[in-house]
Amino acid sequence: MHTIVHMMRHGEVDNPEGILYGRLPGFRLSGAGRAQAQTVADALADHDIKAVFASPLQRAQETATPIASAHGLSIQTNDDLIEADNVFEGLKVSVGDGALSKPRHWPKLRDPFTPSWGEPYIQLAHRMLAAANKARDAARGHEAICVSHQLPVYTLRRFLEGQRLWHDPRRRQCSLASLTSLIYDDDALVDIIYSEPAGASDPLATGA
């Protein structure tokens, strides 16, 4: 029995100030982000989608909406899909003019391997794996969508591929509204396929 769980990153966010919004409420999709979500919904229109899950954050819920509507499904909110916790939430972290240039923040950067500034990578990988397993069980023999965020989706992929979890964020292969599709044969993961139905984007874009 083949099951596909598409781990989807949300679309572009309206973030004119360029802050790290993390889990802060009220950050919605931009016009481009809504178009990205619709593009993916159109691309999946003839797929056998039986369940749609999403992070509780607004941008993920809005990304999931056109997909769920196209298949006559309701969105199931799963807290395991939420953005990673981060102590720099609400601040600018761009190189040169952000919080990272201020000495008072440097102790928070002491350990890039756990990391010291936020949710441990291994904890993030485990909760995302739990979300993927729940989606697989809900859609056995069919397909499911899980709308989450860049770091959670990419960390899960690295975990499943047996790669070290700490990494250079500039090299993340997880564009806005991209799909990281987990292919299962019964309970066994047999393949991971990455695709960008809405096109590529900069992994460090402020709308991430």
Side-chain angles (χ1 to χ4, degrees):
M1 181 183 294
H2 284 82
T3 306
I4 302 176
V5 176
H6 303 283
M7 307 302 293
M8 181 181 179
R9 183 184 173 193
H10 62 78
E12 183 186 84
V13 175
D14 185 18
N15 182 23
E17 300 301 319
I19 69 167
L20 179 70
Y21 40 77
R23 297 180 177 182
L24 294 174
F27 281 87
R28 64 187 186 278
L29 293 183
S30 66
R34 291 191 295 274
Q36 289 168 341
Q38 187 60 57
T39 295
V40 177
D42 293 342
L44 295 174
D46 61 351
H47 283 237
D48 189 20
I49 308 294
K50 295 299 182 185
V52 177
F53 296 87
S55 156
L57 296 176
Q58 182 176 347
R59 58 193 183 272
Q61 295 280 323
E62 290 179 352
T63 300
T65 295
I67 300 172
S69 296
H71 295 274
L73 300 169
S74 59
I75 299 170
Q76 302 180 58
T77 300
N78 186 341
D79 289 345
D80 282 337
L81 295 169
I82 199 168
E83 177 64 280
D85 191 25
N86 193 307
V87 297
F88 294 108
E89 186 177 275
L91 302 176
K92 289 186 177 182
V93 294
S94 56
V95 176
D97 65 348
L100 304 186
S101 66
K102 296 177 172 59
R104 71 176 181 273
H105 291 304
W106 292 349
K108 301 170 186 175
L109 304 173
R110 66 188 181 279
D111 174 16
F113 307 109
T114 301
S116 53
W117 58 81
E119 183 177 6
Y121 290 129
I122 191 64
Q123 177 179 309
L124 178 54
H126 285 172
R127 67 169 168 84
M128 287 295 289
L129 181 59
N133 289 343
K134 182 175 182 179
R136 179 199 62 205
D137 292 343
R140 285 191 178 275
H142 307 280
E143 300 177 47
I145 297 286
C146 291
V147 182
S148 185
H149 309 267
Q150 184 194 59
L151 180 57
V153 171
Y154 191 64
T155 299
L156 174 63
R157 177 178 171 182
R158 293 183 70 88
F159 178 77
L160 293 174
E161 292 179 341
Q163 302 185 58
R164 57 172 171 74
L165 299 185
W166 61 272
H167 59 278
D168 183 345
R170 296 170 297 180
R171 298 182 179 275
R172 289 176 188 160
Q173 189 183 47
C174 192
S175 289
L176 290 162
S178 62
L179 299 174
T180 299
S181 302
L182 312 181
I183 316 300
Y184 293 93
D185 187 354
D186 291 329
D187 289 345
L189 180 68
V190 296
D191 202 2
I192 300 175
I193 299 173
Y194 175 76
S195 60
E196 297 174 342
S201 64
D202 181 349
L204 299 181
T206 58

